[in-house]
Amino acid sequence: MGIVDNYKHIHAGLKEGVKLVAVSKTKPNEDILEAYEAGCRIFGENKVQELTSKYEELPKDIEWHFIGHLQSNKVKYIAPFIGLIHGIDSLKLLKVLNKEGRKNDRIISCLLQFHIAEEQSKFGLDYQEAVDILTSPAFADLQFVEIRGVMGMATYTDDSNQVRKEFQTLKGIFSRLKEAYFQNQSSFAEISMGMSGDYQLAIEEGSTMVRVGSKIFGERQYH
Ligand SMILES: *Cc1c(COP(=O)(O)O)cnc(C)c1O
């Protein structure tokens, strides 16, 4: 199957209300346009430079999501247009985003990334670190960022019980945070979890946003 069929197939199988982020990192514009023609409007990238050139070259009604580890010194390049940043893991980064949001006179939407996998290498906060951010006086001053939910990546494993448990953990974190800090903020509503190998499981466990790359565009070639 090609990109159009892949996209349509995955999109048609989603539970109502679940958003599909087509992860187009490393893929050329022509591939992105194929998915676009099939109806896709949300694309995810994890490199700032690649994202900004694609933003400039491709249709302006695309909503771009940043899904990687964002360095503070690169925020300024994406602040004018980014739709959602999935990987927030520090107050420092939120402060920089707030500054750039102010400059661009727009509120930047963010998700807090949590470490739910067994692997050491994956970025993210634990619950207490998130609480420390959300209750700090500095956070209360940030007028140009909005936390819209949480994001996480499960362990890369065939053990679906393990993966399911990790998704349940993220859902649990979301619910606790919602209850404690976001009861009056209806926009705190997103649970970004699930990739090509585990998005169906993620949806069963409450995902509102899946990030699917290789199942739409084929395997990535790195060189
Ligand atoms: C690359 C990437 C994805 C998509 O991975 P696939 O397995 O190709 O679907 C999703 N989320 C993040 C954070 C990624 O870096």
Side-chain angles (χ1 to χ4, degrees):
M1 287 208 294
I3 292 167
V4 170
D5 289 333
N6 291 342
Y7 173 79
K8 286 189 171 162
H9 175 76
I10 292 169
H11 186 258
L14 296 179
K15 197 162 133 185
E16 205 187 317
V18 175
K19 296 176 203 75
L20 175 55
V21 180
V23 176
S24 49
K25 62 191 185 194
T26 79
K27 297 296 179 183
N29 288 351
E30 67 217 51
D31 288 10
I32 296 176
L33 281 171
E34 274 194 51
Y36 179 89
E37 297 300 339
C40 185
R41 290 296 178 273
I42 309 178
F43 292 89
E45 291 281 337
N46 69 345
K47 297 269 189 297
V48 167
Q49 203 185 335
E50 184 176 345
L51 170 56
T52 49
S53 48
K54 284 174 174 173
Y55 164 72
E56 279 159 22
E57 291 155 9
L58 288 161
K60 286 295 172 283
D61 62 340
I62 289 177
E63 180 179 316
W64 292 99
H65 289 196
F66 192 81
I67 60 167
H69 191 67
L70 181 57
Q71 290 169 272
S72 298
N73 61 346
K74 299 204 170 146
V75 166
K76 57 178 179 284
Y77 301 113
I78 63 170
F81 68 87
I82 197 72
L84 183 64
I85 299 175
H86 289 235
I88 303 297
D89 64 356
S90 73
L91 180 59
K92 178 180 166 234
L93 185 53
L94 284 170
K95 286 180 182 168
V96 175
L97 283 163
N98 188 68
K99 194 174 121 209
E100 295 299 326
R102 184 190 303 277
K103 270 192 209 158
N104 289 280
D105 194 26
R106 65 190 295 264
I107 293 171
I108 299 178
S109 295
C110 303
L111 304 178
L112 295 176
Q113 181 169 0
F114 286 88
H115 184 271
I116 54 171
E118 273 182 344
E119 291 133 44
Q120 288 297 313
S121 63
K122 293 194 172 145
F123 294 103
L125 303 161
D126 62 26
Y127 186 76
Q128 188 54 48
E129 288 168 333
V131 168
D132 291 345
I133 291 173
L134 296 171
T135 55
S136 74
F139 178 75
D141 286 340
L142 304 181
Q143 305 295 313
F144 291 89
V145 291
E146 180 173 59
I147 309 287
R148 303 240 337 258
V150 302
M151 177 268 201
M153 289 167 83
T155 304
Y156 190 71
T157 173
D158 289 337
D159 180 355
S160 59
N161 286 329
Q162 171 77 24
V163 172
R164 193 182 286 282
K165 226 173 52 194
E166 292 170 0
F167 287 151
Q168 287 168 352
T169 299
L170 188 60
K171 171 84 201 262
I173 289 170
F174 171 84
S175 302
R176 284 170 76 190
L177 291 178
K178 176 91 187 159
E179 168 90 23
Y181 304 105
F182 296 98
Q183 262 189 25
N184 300 318
Q185 187 189 312
S186 59
S187 61
F188 185 86
E190 303 295 350
I191 304 174
S192 167
M193 60 185 187
M195 307 175 24
S196 287
D198 56 21
Y199 74 94
Q200 280 141 327
L201 231 160
I203 291 170
E204 284 172 32
E205 296 305 333
S207 173
T208 66
M209 200 176 261
V210 294
R211 310 176 307 268
V212 180
S214 40
K215 271 241 164 105
I216 296 174
F217 296 106
E219 294 301 320
R220 285 176 292 276
Q221 238 98 70
Y222 289 99
H223 31 192

